[in-house]
Amino acid sequence: MIANIIIGAAIFGYATWALVKFINKSKKGKCAACDLEKSCSSQSHCGIPPN
């Protein structure tokens, strides 16, 4: 019984963490939330015209 509660809490906690992380990334915008933002040499992927 206790093991089921612990496993359920872990699953619920991870789902909550993943949802919060997704929402925070989506608030940053398309390029800011991109995993390649720091190493991206071109802004064309983000819909921003190059300088």
Side-chain angles (χ1 to χ4, degrees):
M1 176 76 178
I2 293 176
N4 288 338
I5 293 171
I6 292 171
I7 291 170
I11 292 170
F12 183 75
Y14 177 76
T16 303
W17 173 79
L19 184 62
V20 168
K21 185 177 175 183
F22 173 78
I23 291 170
N24 286 338
K25 280 184 117 180
S26 68
K27 285 181 182 179
K28 289 181 181 179
K30 188 174 180 181
C31 275
C34 181
D35 291 333
L36 300 174
E37 176 194 11
K38 293 180 182 176
S39 63
C40 186
S41 62
S42 169
Q43 293 294 330
S44 64
H45 295 103
C46 299
I48 300 170
N51 292 338

Short mmCIF file of all heavy atoms in Angstrom, two decimals:
data_model
loop_
_atom_site.label_atom_id
_atom_site.label_comp_id
_atom_site.label_asym_id
_atom_site.label_seq_id
_atom_site.Cartn_x
_atom_site.Cartn_y
_atom_site.Cartn_z
N MET A 1 0.82 -1.20 0.00
CA MET A 1 0.00 0.00 0.00
C MET A 1 0.87 1.26 0.00
O MET A 1 0.63 2.17 -0.78
CB MET A 1 -0.92 -0.05 1.23
CG MET A 1 -1.77 1.15 1.40
SD MET A 1 -3.12 1.12 0.23
CE MET A 1 -3.96 2.57 0.69
N ILE A 2 1.85 1.28 0.89
CA ILE A 2 2.72 2.46 0.97
C ILE A 2 3.56 2.58 -0.31
O ILE A 2 3.78 3.69 -0.79
CB ILE A 2 3.63 2.38 2.22
CG1 ILE A 2 2.76 2.50 3.48
CG2 ILE A 2 4.69 3.46 2.21
CD1 ILE A 2 3.51 2.33 4.78
N ALA A 3 3.97 1.46 -0.86
CA ALA A 3 4.76 1.49 -2.10
C ALA A 3 3.93 2.08 -3.23
O ALA A 3 4.45 2.86 -4.04
CB ALA A 3 5.22 0.08 -2.45
N ASN A 4 2.66 1.74 -3.30
CA ASN A 4 1.78 2.29 -4.33
C ASN A 4 1.64 3.81 -4.19
O ASN A 4 1.62 4.53 -5.19
CB ASN A 4 0.40 1.65 -4.27
CG ASN A 4 0.42 0.22 -4.75
OD1 ASN A 4 1.31 -0.19 -5.48
ND2 ASN A 4 -0.57 -0.55 -4.32
N ILE A 5 1.54 4.28 -2.97
CA ILE A 5 1.42 5.72 -2.72
C ILE A 5 2.70 6.43 -3.13
O ILE A 5 2.67 7.49 -3.77
CB ILE A 5 1.07 5.98 -1.23
CG1 ILE A 5 -0.33 5.46 -0.93
CG2 ILE A 5 1.18 7.46 -0.90
CD1 ILE A 5 -0.69 5.47 0.53
N ILE A 6 3.85 5.86 -2.80
CA ILE A 6 5.14 6.46 -3.15
C ILE A 6 5.32 6.49 -4.67
O ILE A 6 5.73 7.51 -5.24
CB ILE A 6 6.29 5.70 -2.46
CG1 ILE A 6 6.23 5.94 -0.95
CG2 ILE A 6 7.64 6.13 -3.02
CD1 ILE A 6 7.19 5.09 -0.15
N ILE A 7 5.00 5.39 -5.33
CA ILE A 7 5.12 5.34 -6.79
C ILE A 7 4.16 6.32 -7.44
O ILE A 7 4.52 7.05 -8.37
CB ILE A 7 4.89 3.90 -7.30
CG1 ILE A 7 6.04 2.99 -6.86
CG2 ILE A 7 4.75 3.87 -8.82
CD1 ILE A 7 5.79 1.52 -7.10
N GLY A 8 2.93 6.40 -6.95
CA GLY A 8 1.95 7.34 -7.48
C GLY A 8 2.39 8.78 -7.30
O GLY A 8 2.24 9.61 -8.19
N ALA A 9 2.94 9.09 -6.12
CA ALA A 9 3.42 10.44 -5.85
C ALA A 9 4.60 10.79 -6.76
O ALA A 9 4.70 11.93 -7.24
CB ALA A 9 3.83 10.58 -4.39
N ALA A 10 5.47 9.83 -7.01
CA ALA A 10 6.61 10.07 -7.90
C ALA A 10 6.14 10.35 -9.32
O ALA A 10 6.63 11.27 -9.98
CB ALA A 10 7.57 8.88 -7.87
N ILE A 11 5.19 9.59 -9.79
CA ILE A 11 4.66 9.78 -11.14
C ILE A 11 3.96 11.14 -11.24
O ILE A 11 4.17 11.89 -12.20
CB ILE A 11 3.72 8.64 -11.54
CG1 ILE A 11 4.51 7.35 -11.70
CG2 ILE A 11 2.95 8.96 -12.81
CD1 ILE A 11 3.67 6.10 -11.85
N PHE A 12 3.12 11.45 -10.28
CA PHE A 12 2.40 12.72 -10.28
C PHE A 12 3.38 13.90 -10.17
O PHE A 12 3.23 14.91 -10.86
CB PHE A 12 1.41 12.76 -9.11
CG PHE A 12 0.59 14.01 -9.07
CD1 PHE A 12 -0.44 14.20 -9.97
CD2 PHE A 12 0.86 15.00 -8.14
CE1 PHE A 12 -1.21 15.37 -9.94
CE2 PHE A 12 0.11 16.16 -8.10
CZ PHE A 12 -0.92 16.35 -9.01
N GLY A 13 4.40 13.77 -9.33
CA GLY A 13 5.41 14.82 -9.19
C GLY A 13 6.18 15.06 -10.47
O GLY A 13 6.41 16.20 -10.87
N TYR A 14 6.57 13.98 -11.15
CA TYR A 14 7.30 14.12 -12.41
C TYR A 14 6.42 14.76 -13.48
O TYR A 14 6.88 15.62 -14.23
CB TYR A 14 7.82 12.76 -12.90
CG TYR A 14 8.51 12.87 -14.23
CD1 TYR A 14 9.79 13.40 -14.32
CD2 TYR A 14 7.88 12.49 -15.41
CE1 TYR A 14 10.42 13.53 -15.55
CE2 TYR A 14 8.50 12.61 -16.63
CZ TYR A 14 9.77 13.12 -16.70
OH TYR A 14 10.39 13.27 -17.91
N ALA A 15 5.16 14.35 -13.55
CA ALA A 15 4.25 14.92 -14.54
C ALA A 15 4.05 16.41 -14.28
O ALA A 15 4.03 17.21 -15.22
CB ALA A 15 2.91 14.19 -14.50
N THR A 16 3.93 16.80 -13.03
CA THR A 16 3.78 18.21 -12.68
C THR A 16 5.03 18.99 -13.07
O THR A 16 4.95 20.07 -13.65
CB THR A 16 3.49 18.37 -11.18
OG1 THR A 16 2.31 17.62 -10.86
CG2 THR A 16 3.29 19.82 -10.80
N TRP A 17 6.20 18.45 -12.76
CA TRP A 17 7.47 19.11 -13.09
C TRP A 17 7.61 19.28 -14.60
O TRP A 17 8.00 20.34 -15.08
CB TRP A 17 8.63 18.28 -12.54
CG TRP A 17 9.97 18.79 -12.96
CD1 TRP A 17 10.66 19.84 -12.45
CD2 TRP A 17 10.77 18.26 -14.02
NE1 TRP A 17 11.84 19.99 -13.13
CE2 TRP A 17 11.95 19.04 -14.09
CE3 TRP A 17 10.61 17.19 -14.89
CZ2 TRP A 17 12.94 18.78 -15.01
CZ3 TRP A 17 11.61 16.94 -15.81
CH2 TRP A 17 12.76 17.73 -15.86
N ALA A 18 7.28 18.24 -15.37
CA ALA A 18 7.40 18.31 -16.83
C ALA A 18 6.43 19.34 -17.40
O ALA A 18 6.78 20.09 -18.32
CB ALA A 18 7.13 16.93 -17.43
N LEU A 19 5.22 19.43 -16.86
CA LEU A 19 4.24 20.39 -17.33
C LEU A 19 4.68 21.82 -17.03
O LEU A 19 4.60 22.70 -17.89
CB LEU A 19 2.88 20.11 -16.68
CG LEU A 19 1.72 20.99 -17.13
CD1 LEU A 19 1.46 20.78 -18.63
CD2 LEU A 19 0.47 20.65 -16.34
N VAL A 20 5.20 22.06 -15.84
CA VAL A 20 5.68 23.40 -15.48
C VAL A 20 6.86 23.79 -16.35
O VAL A 20 6.93 24.92 -16.84
CB VAL A 20 6.06 23.45 -13.98
CG1 VAL A 20 6.83 24.71 -13.64
CG2 VAL A 20 4.81 23.33 -13.11
N LYS A 21 7.76 22.87 -16.60
CA LYS A 21 8.91 23.15 -17.46
C LYS A 21 8.46 23.49 -18.88
O LYS A 21 8.97 24.43 -19.49
CB LYS A 21 9.84 21.93 -17.48
CG LYS A 21 11.11 22.13 -18.24
CD LYS A 21 12.00 20.91 -18.16
CE LYS A 21 13.21 21.07 -19.02
NZ LYS A 21 14.06 19.88 -19.02
N PHE A 22 7.49 22.75 -19.41
CA PHE A 22 6.97 23.01 -20.75
C PHE A 22 6.31 24.38 -20.83
O PHE A 22 6.54 25.14 -21.77
CB PHE A 22 5.96 21.92 -21.14
CG PHE A 22 5.25 22.20 -22.42
CD1 PHE A 22 5.89 21.98 -23.64
CD2 PHE A 22 3.97 22.69 -22.43
CE1 PHE A 22 5.25 22.24 -24.84
CE2 PHE A 22 3.31 22.96 -23.62
CZ PHE A 22 3.95 22.72 -24.82
N ILE A 23 5.52 24.73 -19.83
CA ILE A 23 4.84 26.03 -19.83
C ILE A 23 5.85 27.17 -19.75
O ILE A 23 5.74 28.16 -20.46
CB ILE A 23 3.82 26.10 -18.67
CG1 ILE A 23 2.66 25.16 -18.95
CG2 ILE A 23 3.32 27.52 -18.46
CD1 ILE A 23 1.71 24.96 -17.79
N ASN A 24 6.87 27.03 -18.91
CA ASN A 24 7.88 28.07 -18.79
C ASN A 24 8.66 28.25 -20.09
O ASN A 24 8.97 29.37 -20.48
CB ASN A 24 8.84 27.77 -17.64
CG ASN A 24 8.21 28.00 -16.29
OD1 ASN A 24 7.24 28.75 -16.17
ND2 ASN A 24 8.73 27.36 -15.27
N LYS A 25 8.98 27.16 -20.78
CA LYS A 25 9.69 27.26 -22.06
C LYS A 25 8.81 27.90 -23.12
O LYS A 25 9.27 28.68 -23.94
CB LYS A 25 10.14 25.88 -22.54
CG LYS A 25 11.39 25.39 -21.89
CD LYS A 25 11.80 24.07 -22.49
CE LYS A 25 13.14 24.22 -23.15
NZ LYS A 25 13.60 22.98 -23.76
N SER A 26 7.52 27.58 -23.12
CA SER A 26 6.64 28.14 -24.14
C SER A 26 6.42 29.64 -23.95
O SER A 26 6.16 30.36 -24.91
CB SER A 26 5.30 27.41 -24.16
OG SER A 26 4.57 27.66 -22.98
N LYS A 27 6.56 30.12 -22.73
CA LYS A 27 6.41 31.55 -22.46
C LYS A 27 7.60 32.35 -23.00
O LYS A 27 7.47 33.53 -23.27
CB LYS A 27 6.30 31.81 -20.96
CG LYS A 27 4.97 31.43 -20.37
CD LYS A 27 4.93 31.76 -18.89
CE LYS A 27 3.63 31.35 -18.26
NZ LYS A 27 3.62 31.65 -16.81
N LYS A 28 8.75 31.70 -23.15
CA LYS A 28 9.96 32.38 -23.61
C LYS A 28 9.92 32.72 -25.10
O LYS A 28 10.64 33.58 -25.56
CB LYS A 28 11.19 31.52 -23.35
CG LYS A 28 11.54 31.40 -21.90
CD LYS A 28 12.78 30.54 -21.75
CE LYS A 28 13.18 30.34 -20.32
NZ LYS A 28 14.37 29.50 -20.23
N GLY A 29 9.13 32.02 -25.86
CA GLY A 29 9.08 32.23 -27.30
C GLY A 29 9.78 31.12 -28.04
O GLY A 29 10.42 30.25 -27.46
N LYS A 30 9.69 31.18 -29.35
CA LYS A 30 10.18 30.09 -30.18
C LYS A 30 11.70 29.90 -30.08
O LYS A 30 12.18 28.80 -29.85
CB LYS A 30 9.78 30.34 -31.63
CG LYS A 30 10.06 29.20 -32.55
CD LYS A 30 9.50 29.48 -33.93
CE LYS A 30 9.77 28.34 -34.88
NZ LYS A 30 9.28 28.60 -36.21
N CYS A 31 12.48 30.97 -30.28
CA CYS A 31 13.94 30.83 -30.27
C CYS A 31 14.51 30.70 -28.86
O CYS A 31 15.45 29.96 -28.64
CB CYS A 31 14.61 32.00 -30.97
SG CYS A 31 14.70 31.77 -32.75
N ALA A 32 13.96 31.41 -27.92
CA ALA A 32 14.48 31.36 -26.56
C ALA A 32 14.30 29.99 -25.94
O ALA A 32 15.10 29.56 -25.11
CB ALA A 32 13.80 32.42 -25.71
N ALA A 33 13.26 29.29 -26.33
CA ALA A 33 12.98 27.97 -25.78
C ALA A 33 13.69 26.85 -26.54
O ALA A 33 13.68 25.72 -26.11
CB ALA A 33 11.48 27.71 -25.78
N CYS A 34 14.32 27.19 -27.67
CA CYS A 34 14.98 26.18 -28.50
C CYS A 34 16.21 25.64 -27.79
O CYS A 34 16.99 26.38 -27.20
CB CYS A 34 15.38 26.80 -29.85
SG CYS A 34 16.17 25.64 -30.96
N ASP A 35 16.40 24.32 -27.85
CA ASP A 35 17.57 23.70 -27.23
C ASP A 35 18.86 24.10 -27.93
O ASP A 35 19.94 24.03 -27.35
CB ASP A 35 17.44 22.18 -27.24
CG ASP A 35 16.34 21.70 -26.31
OD1 ASP A 35 16.04 22.41 -25.33
OD2 ASP A 35 15.78 20.62 -26.56
N LEU A 36 18.79 24.51 -29.19
CA LEU A 36 19.97 24.87 -29.96
C LEU A 36 20.27 26.37 -29.92
O LEU A 36 21.11 26.84 -30.67
CB LEU A 36 19.79 24.44 -31.42
CG LEU A 36 19.57 22.95 -31.66
CD1 LEU A 36 19.28 22.70 -33.12
CD2 LEU A 36 20.77 22.16 -31.21
N GLU A 37 19.59 27.11 -29.07
CA GLU A 37 19.70 28.57 -29.04
C GLU A 37 21.16 29.03 -28.92
O GLU A 37 21.60 29.92 -29.64
CB GLU A 37 18.90 29.14 -27.88
CG GLU A 37 19.05 30.63 -27.73
CD GLU A 37 18.54 31.11 -26.40
OE1 GLU A 37 18.26 30.31 -25.51
OE2 GLU A 37 18.45 32.34 -26.24
N LYS A 38 21.93 28.43 -28.04
CA LYS A 38 23.30 28.88 -27.79
C LYS A 38 24.25 28.53 -28.94
O LYS A 38 25.21 29.23 -29.18
CB LYS A 38 23.81 28.28 -26.49
CG LYS A 38 23.09 28.82 -25.28
CD LYS A 38 23.60 28.22 -24.01
CE LYS A 38 22.80 28.75 -22.83
NZ LYS A 38 23.18 28.12 -21.59
N SER A 39 23.97 27.44 -29.65
CA SER A 39 24.88 27.02 -30.71
C SER A 39 24.33 27.29 -32.11
O SER A 39 24.98 26.96 -33.09
CB SER A 39 25.19 25.53 -30.57
OG SER A 39 24.01 24.77 -30.73
N CYS A 40 23.17 27.88 -32.20
CA CYS A 40 22.55 28.14 -33.50
C CYS A 40 23.27 29.29 -34.20
O CYS A 40 23.41 30.38 -33.66
CB CYS A 40 21.07 28.48 -33.32
SG CYS A 40 20.17 28.64 -34.86
N SER A 41 23.75 29.02 -35.43
CA SER A 41 24.48 30.06 -36.15
C SER A 41 23.55 30.89 -37.01
O SER A 41 23.94 31.93 -37.53
CB SER A 41 25.55 29.41 -37.02
OG SER A 41 24.94 28.55 -37.97
N SER A 42 22.34 30.45 -37.20
CA SER A 42 21.41 31.16 -38.06
C SER A 42 20.09 31.37 -37.33
O SER A 42 19.59 30.48 -36.67
CB SER A 42 21.15 30.33 -39.32
OG SER A 42 20.07 30.88 -40.03
N GLN A 43 19.55 32.56 -37.45
CA GLN A 43 18.26 32.85 -36.84
C GLN A 43 17.12 32.49 -37.78
O GLN A 43 15.97 32.71 -37.45
CB GLN A 43 18.19 34.33 -36.46
CG GLN A 43 19.15 34.74 -35.36
CD GLN A 43 18.80 34.09 -34.03
OE1 GLN A 43 17.66 33.80 -33.75
NE2 GLN A 43 19.81 33.84 -33.23
N SER A 44 17.44 31.96 -38.97
CA SER A 44 16.40 31.67 -39.94
C SER A 44 15.43 30.60 -39.45
O SER A 44 14.29 30.56 -39.88
CB SER A 44 17.01 31.24 -41.26
OG SER A 44 17.73 30.03 -41.10
N HIS A 45 15.87 29.74 -38.56
CA HIS A 45 15.00 28.72 -38.00
C HIS A 45 13.91 29.34 -37.13
O HIS A 45 12.87 28.74 -36.93
CB HIS A 45 15.80 27.72 -37.19
CG HIS A 45 16.76 26.94 -38.01
ND1 HIS A 45 18.10 27.21 -38.01
CD2 HIS A 45 16.58 25.92 -38.87
CE1 HIS A 45 18.71 26.37 -38.83
NE2 HIS A 45 17.80 25.58 -39.36
N CYS A 46 14.16 30.51 -36.64
CA CYS A 46 13.23 31.15 -35.71
C CYS A 46 12.31 32.13 -36.39
O CYS A 46 11.50 32.76 -35.74
CB CYS A 46 14.01 31.88 -34.63
SG CYS A 46 15.06 30.79 -33.66
N GLY A 47 12.45 32.30 -37.68
CA GLY A 47 11.60 33.24 -38.40
C GLY A 47 12.08 34.67 -38.30
O GLY A 47 11.40 35.59 -38.70
N ILE A 48 13.29 34.87 -37.79
CA ILE A 48 13.87 36.21 -37.68
C ILE A 48 14.83 36.41 -38.84
O ILE A 48 15.73 35.59 -39.04
CB ILE A 48 14.64 36.38 -36.35
CG1 ILE A 48 13.68 36.17 -35.18
CG2 ILE A 48 15.31 37.73 -36.26
CD1 ILE A 48 14.37 36.07 -33.84
N PRO A 49 14.66 37.45 -39.64
CA PRO A 49 15.57 37.65 -40.77
C PRO A 49 16.99 37.94 -40.29
O PRO A 49 17.18 38.63 -39.28
CB PRO A 49 14.98 38.84 -41.50
CG PRO A 49 14.03 39.49 -40.58
CD PRO A 49 13.63 38.47 -39.56
N PRO A 50 18.01 37.39 -40.96
CA PRO A 50 19.39 37.66 -40.56
C PRO A 50 19.76 39.12 -40.76
O PRO A 50 19.23 39.80 -41.62
CB PRO A 50 20.22 36.74 -41.46
CG PRO A 50 19.34 36.39 -42.59
CD PRO A 50 17.91 36.52 -42.12
N ASN A 51 20.69 39.59 -39.96
CA ASN A 51 21.13 41.00 -40.03
C ASN A 51 21.95 41.26 -41.25
O ASN A 51 22.80 40.74 -41.68
CB ASN A 51 21.91 41.38 -38.78
CG ASN A 51 20.99 41.41 -37.58
OD1 ASN A 51 19.77 41.53 -37.72
ND2 ASN A 51 21.55 41.25 -36.42
#
